[in-house]
Amino acid sequence: MKVQFMIKFILIAISILLYGCKNNEIRFDFKTNSIKTINNNGLYSLIISSKDSLEDYYYIYLEKGQKAQDSISLVHTGNKYIIEDWRGKHIYKIILHPYRTYEISNISNGDCEYGRISFRTDSLGRPIMSSYGEKSGNSYIK
């Protein structure tokens, strides 16, 4: 009797865990210079970093009481999100440096593996190519 109960309990717990897991997959839209969710789960917290410099680290998170968006522009994050630099200081703009590779990690849904993408910048610090070789055309961060 106890064994059957334990098996049912374990199956229900696994079902809840699998059902509750949202997807953290993201993509970079070069036309709008925005980070977008794949399944419209909302962006609650992101990390943008470069291996080239410690100063190229940004933590973006949703301000309390705000509704998460499915897209965040790197040009202007709006007033719903807070940006912190590598020192934990609040800043208002993300500055991308020339000829660097950046990685964006979506850590919005903690019960899932984080989504990760990367892109390179040109001589002016504008995104030009993603980690999977998608060319951006002529859209850049201004």
Side-chain angles (χ1 to χ4, degrees):
M1 189 85 162
K2 286 185 178 183
V3 174
Q4 288 179 344
F5 175 76
M6 289 299 289
I7 291 172
K8 287 180 183 179
F9 178 77
I10 291 171
L11 289 175
I12 290 172
I14 290 172
S15 298
I16 290 171
L17 287 174
L18 291 175
Y19 179 74
C21 182
K22 293 185 176 182
N23 192 332
N24 278 331
E25 285 186 271
I26 53 174
R27 68 182 179 88
F28 191 82
D29 184 346
F30 286 98
K31 291 180 182 175
T32 61
N33 293 313
S34 300
I35 305 157
K36 298 187 174 216
T37 62
I38 300 290
N39 294 328
N40 300 324
N41 291 331
L43 295 168
Y44 294 90
S45 54
L46 299 163
I47 295 173
I48 300 175
S49 61
S50 172
K51 294 178 183 175
D52 301 319
S53 172
L54 176 63
E55 294 177 5
D56 276 345
Y57 177 90
Y58 303 98
Y59 176 49
I60 304 169
Y61 58 95
L62 186 65
E63 188 170 351
K64 289 185 181 184
Q66 298 292 329
K67 184 178 179 192
Q69 297 175 225
D70 294 327
S71 175
I72 297 176
S73 171
L74 290 183
V75 178
H76 179 66
T77 59
N79 59 358
K80 293 183 176 190
Y81 290 90
I82 297 170
I83 306 170
E84 291 182 1
D85 67 4
W86 64 281
R87 298 168 295 207
K89 181 180 175 186
H90 288 238
I91 58 173
Y92 299 98
K93 186 175 181 180
I94 297 169
I95 298 172
L96 301 177
H97 296 279
Y99 301 118
R100 294 202 179 157
T101 300
Y102 286 88
E103 182 175 273
I104 302 172
S105 299
N106 180 13
I107 55 173
S108 297
N109 301 300
D111 58 345
C112 292
E113 184 177 352
Y114 53 86
R116 183 185 299 170
I117 58 172
S118 61
F119 62 89
R120 292 192 309 234
T121 56
D122 67 4
S123 63
L124 299 175
R126 302 175 297 198
I128 57 171
M129 186 178 292
S130 69
S131 58
Y132 43 88
E134 179 182 335
K135 293 186 180 173
S136 65
N138 292 324
S139 75
Y140 299 108
I141 291 180
K142 296 177 182 168

